[in-house]
Amino acid sequence: CEVIAGSLEDRAVEVRMAAMEVMQDMNPGDEEARNTSFRLLLRRLEDPNLDMRTQALNLLSLLFQNGAMPREACTELAHATIKTFEGMDVQNHQAGQCQLRRVCVNCLGHLAPACDVAKSYLYKLQGCSDPEIRFTSYEALGSTSKG
């Protein structure tokens, strides 16, 4: 785990991405390993590379869905996801930006049944100027009401 942690901090995006791929294939195991994985991935949400942020958020969402992340971390992840979303310009339609915004909204959708912070932010996003974000937020809230 120390090798992966060091690799995730490397200045070369290729090294960070390779470490992320290794993490994707890892079984988080015990509670300490899950907490370590959670913290390492959470830090990647501030990575300068959009693909790294997207991959980290996808993995965090997957950890949560698979029950491999502590439930109490739900609110912390929701706040980090909102911060990531709000750090982007909704008017920027570059592919990487659009994909990361979509992943943020989807992650909040996965968190919403267990987290009021995520659910209320999804309601707020229904007023977003970007129709794709509005649609994705409606879709995420619709799936939470079915669960």
Side-chain angles (χ1 to χ4, degrees):
C1 203
E2 289 177 27
V3 172
I4 292 172
S7 298
L8 284 170
E9 300 297 328
D10 195 275
R11 69 178 173 265
V13 72
E14 297 83 6
V15 173
R16 295 193 315 272
M17 272 301 207
M20 194 70 77
E21 288 174 21
V22 169
M23 281 191 80
Q24 186 171 352
D25 295 333
M26 285 175 48
N27 180 354
D30 63 14
E31 186 176 346
E32 184 178 343
R34 286 191 301 271
N35 287 333
T36 300
S37 294
F38 174 71
R39 296 280 161 225
L40 289 171
L41 290 169
L42 206 56
R43 282 201 305 264
R44 295 289 39 99
L45 294 182
E46 295 182 14
D47 195 281
N49 183 282
L50 285 176
D51 292 336
M52 283 296 299
R53 284 187 266 166
T54 301
Q55 183 70 2
L57 199 51
N58 276 325
L59 287 175
L60 283 162
S61 184
L62 191 61
L63 280 174
F64 180 77
Q65 291 173 67
N66 292 338
M69 188 172 79
R71 292 300 262 188
E72 60 273 8
C74 180
T75 301
E76 186 176 359
L77 177 55
H79 283 294
T81 303
I82 291 166
K83 181 180 175 186
T84 299
F85 183 88
E86 289 180 345
M88 294 179 289
D89 178 8
V90 177
Q91 301 305 316
N92 184 334
H93 297 290
Q94 293 176 344
Q97 288 265 341
C98 291
Q99 181 182 6
L100 182 53
R101 285 194 300 267
R102 243 186 339 270
V103 170
C104 285
V105 176
N106 286 331
C107 182
L108 290 170
H110 294 301
L111 297 172
C115 179
D116 290 338
V117 170
K119 188 180 283 186
S120 47
Y121 198 76
L122 286 170
Y123 280 114
K124 178 182 174 183
L125 289 178
Q126 291 178 349
C128 182
S129 62
D130 184 331
E132 186 175 356
I133 295 301
R134 286 196 311 271
F135 175 77
T136 306
S137 68
Y138 281 115
E139 194 174 53
L141 284 167
S143 68
T144 64
S145 65
K146 295 175 190 171

